[in-house]
Amino acid sequence: MIVALIDSGLGMLPTAARLRQARPELDLVLMMDPDNAPWGPKPDGWVVDRVVGTAQHAVELGAEVVVLPCNTASVTALSHVRAALGDTIPVVGTVPAIKPAAAVSDRIAIWATAATTASAYQARLIEEFASHRTVTSVACHGLADSIDRGDVRGIGAAIAAAVAATPDNVESIVLGCTHYPLVLDEIVAQLPTRVTMFDSAEAVANQTVRRVDEVGSSGSGTGRVSVWLSGIEGGLPASAQRYREGMLLRGDARAEQH
C-alpha cells in the first residue's frame, strides 16, 4: 500500500511520522515543492494546477491514497484533486482543529500563516464552530519559512512575536499551519502552562488509516519512504533532520530520544 503526502515543505512531517508509527508497513511517498515554496502567497489557480499535477504524479507512482497535510493545498485544491483523481483514489484533506478547541475552551487563539489568517476559509470555520467563543487570530509571520530552513533563531523570533500577539488569558491555541507541530516544544516553552494545544496531524493521520483500510490493498507494503522534490526524486531536506519527525522517517534511532 502506497500513501502519498503532498505539501510545499516540511508541514507534512507530523502527519507522515504519525502514519509511520501507526502503520510502519505503509510505503510513504513524500512530495515536496521546495522550488516553489511557500504556496500560501501564490494565486489560487497556480496552486490548483500545482497540487493537482503533483497528485496525478503520485498516482502514476502507485499511490492508492493521497493526503494533503497542508492548509493551503486543502483550502484551494482539495475539491479539484478529488475531481481529477476520481472515486477510486481517496484524498484526505486538512482542517485546522478549531472545532475540538471550541468544544472545550472559551478563549482561543488560532496561530496560522498570514495568508490563512486573512482567508475567508478560516473565517467560515470560526463562524461555524466557534462563534460562541472569544477567538483571536494570530498571524505567525515567517514561522513556517523558518521551520523549512531549520533556522533556529528565526523560529524563536517568530514564536516570541506570536506569543506577544496572543492574549494572556487564552485557554487553547490552535496550530493552524501543519508546520507548527514540528516546533511544539519551543512554542510550549514560551507559553503559560495552562494553555492547551490543538493541531490537526493526528486527526489527518487517523483519517488516512481509515481510508487505507477501506481501500484494502492486496499489497502489504515494505515500509519504504521515498521523497520527491519539485518533481525530482531525492531525499529529505537537511533541515528535516532538526526535527524528531524527520529523524523518525529516516529511521534514525535518535528520534526516540527526543
Side-chain angles (χ1 to χ4, degrees):
M1 168 65 77
I2 299 174
V3 176
L5 296 94
I6 299 171
D7 189 6
S8 63
L10 302 185
M12 66 173 63
L13 296 185
T15 298
R18 283 170 170 79
L19 283 175
R20 166 60 68 231
Q21 292 175 310
R23 294 291 176 86
E25 75 280 3
L26 291 176
D27 293 327
L28 302 181
V29 180
L30 311 183
M31 308 194 78
M32 303 179 189
D33 192 15
D35 290 352
N36 297 289
W39 286 342
K42 299 286 196 301
D44 285 358
W46 186 97
V47 174
V48 169
D49 289 345
R50 192 69 178 176
V51 177
V52 169
T54 303
Q56 290 171 327
H57 183 199
V59 173
E60 291 169 1
L61 294 172
E64 296 168 83
V65 176
V66 172
V67 188
L68 307 181
C70 167
N71 287 295
T72 296
S74 295
V75 170
T76 310
L78 178 60
S79 62
H80 298 275
V81 173
R82 285 175 171 159
L85 299 188
D87 296 334
T88 59
I89 304 293
V91 182
V92 180
T94 297
V95 178
I98 296 171
K99 182 178 180 180
V104 298
S105 307
D106 288 318
R107 295 179 297 278
I108 303 164
I110 304 172
W111 287 20
T113 64
T116 299
T117 299
S119 69
Y121 171 72
Q122 180 165 300
R124 287 196 300 271
L125 289 175
I126 294 170
E127 177 63 27
E128 182 175 359
F129 298 118
S131 60
H132 58 305
R133 306 300 190 191
T134 300
V135 179
T136 302
S137 296
V138 178
C140 302
H141 298 285
L143 181 52
D145 292 344
S146 295
I147 291 170
D148 274 340
R149 295 193 304 269
D151 177 1
V152 175
R153 182 171 295 182
I155 290 168
I159 292 173
V163 169
T166 300
D168 293 336
N169 65 347
V170 296
E171 298 168 339
S172 296
I173 292 177
V174 175
L175 299 180
C177 172
T178 54
H179 284 66
Y180 298 171
L182 293 171
V183 292
L184 179 62
D185 289 346
E186 289 95 321
I187 292 171
V188 169
Q190 295 197 40
L191 291 169
T193 56
R194 54 180 169 72
V195 176
T196 303
M197 308 300 294
F198 289 86
D199 73 77
S200 58
E202 183 173 0
V204 174
N206 289 343
Q207 176 65 4
T208 301
V209 168
R210 285 192 286 270
R211 300 315 300 269
V212 165
D213 290 342
E214 290 170 5
V215 169
S217 172
S218 59
S220 61
T222 63
R224 179 173 182 260
V225 177
S226 59
V227 180
W228 289 76
L229 305 172
S230 300
I232 300 173
E233 190 167 14
L236 278 174
S239 56
Q241 306 315 306
R242 179 188 185 276
Y243 310 109
R244 175 184 176 275
E245 292 86 348
M247 290 191 289
L248 189 151
L249 289 164
R250 278 180 56 92
D252 191 327
R254 291 177 299 167
E256 303 304 325
Q257 302 170 12
H258 281 240

